[in-house]
Amino acid sequence: MHIIPKQVYVEQLADTDHYKRSQALLGLAYCKGRDIFSLLYPLTFDQEQIVRRDALISLGINRNSRAYFFLANYFFWAKENFPQEENLELQKSILFSFRANKDPRALELVQRATELKGLESLASSVLRVCKRYPRLGFMYEYMGNEEDRENA
């Protein structure tokens, strides 16, 4: 198996080809480090919808605890800043993100989404997973150095 270095993905984020940017986002989603959140979130405002969508999903896959508040705010911000159909796709991406990161703080937002037209089915599915497996695999990851963790 060939592992691509993180720096290659970072460089691809600035590529003019939106498919390469999306590929870089998904690659970075599986990388560790406190800096990953800062690399992913700016692309949620990319000109291309596919890049925005993949950036939102990648934030969930990465499981950085800082992503929840950004994703929750973006969920409602998108409604006011994108056409209905695009907004719906971005909100679905955020629900997929919540399912991927399993952050228990998302439960209330997911419950509210079950009542939103076009999101009912997906939100209900994510909600079932959240309720059936509370805190399944979610852990706040400490991103500092080991010495600081031990001193805390």
Side-chain angles (χ1 to χ4, degrees):
M1 173 188 256
H2 177 69
I3 298 175
I4 299 173
K6 179 170 113 176
Q7 188 56 36
V8 172
Y9 293 131
V10 172
E11 292 168 7
Q12 265 186 313
L13 292 176
D15 199 292
T16 56
D17 183 344
H18 61 278
Y19 289 111
K20 288 185 179 179
R21 291 195 306 277
S22 286
Q23 183 181 26
L25 286 165
L26 296 172
L28 283 169
Y30 292 97
C31 293
K32 295 290 181 193
R34 192 95 172 130
D35 62 326
I36 301 300
F37 175 80
S38 299
L39 294 168
L40 298 176
Y41 93 85
L43 277 93
T44 63
F45 301 101
D46 194 273
Q47 293 178 349
E48 297 290 335
Q49 180 182 356
I50 189 170
V51 175
R52 289 192 295 272
R53 185 198 69 203
D54 288 347
L56 293 166
I57 293 170
S58 294
L59 284 167
I61 293 169
N62 186 252
R63 300 177 72 169
N64 185 305
S65 63
R66 294 182 295 165
Y68 168 71
F69 293 106
F70 175 78
L71 292 168
N73 286 322
Y74 196 103
F75 188 89
F76 296 104
W77 176 85
K79 185 175 183 176
E80 297 177 11
N81 291 280
F82 293 105
Q84 172 71 23
E85 188 175 311
E86 187 174 349
N87 164 56
L88 193 60
E89 290 306 310
L90 293 171
Q91 288 181 323
K92 286 178 182 179
S93 297
I94 292 170
L95 291 173
F96 283 124
S97 186
F98 287 153
R99 183 166 188 211
N101 76 7
K102 300 171 184 70
D103 188 330
R105 297 173 294 178
L107 187 61
E108 181 181 349
L109 193 149
V110 174
Q111 285 175 321
R112 289 173 60 188
T114 62
E115 299 171 7
L116 299 176
K117 185 177 180 182
L119 297 176
E120 308 96 323
S121 178
L122 176 59
S124 294
S125 173
V126 172
L127 186 60
R128 279 192 300 278
V129 169
C130 292
K131 285 184 173 181
R132 187 169 181 188
Y133 305 102
R135 298 185 186 175
L136 177 69
F138 184 80
M139 219 166 79
Y140 293 100
E141 187 173 319
Y142 181 75
M143 297 291 202
N145 65 44
E146 186 61 24
E147 183 180 329
D148 288 345
R149 186 189 68 77
E150 289 177 2
N151 290 335

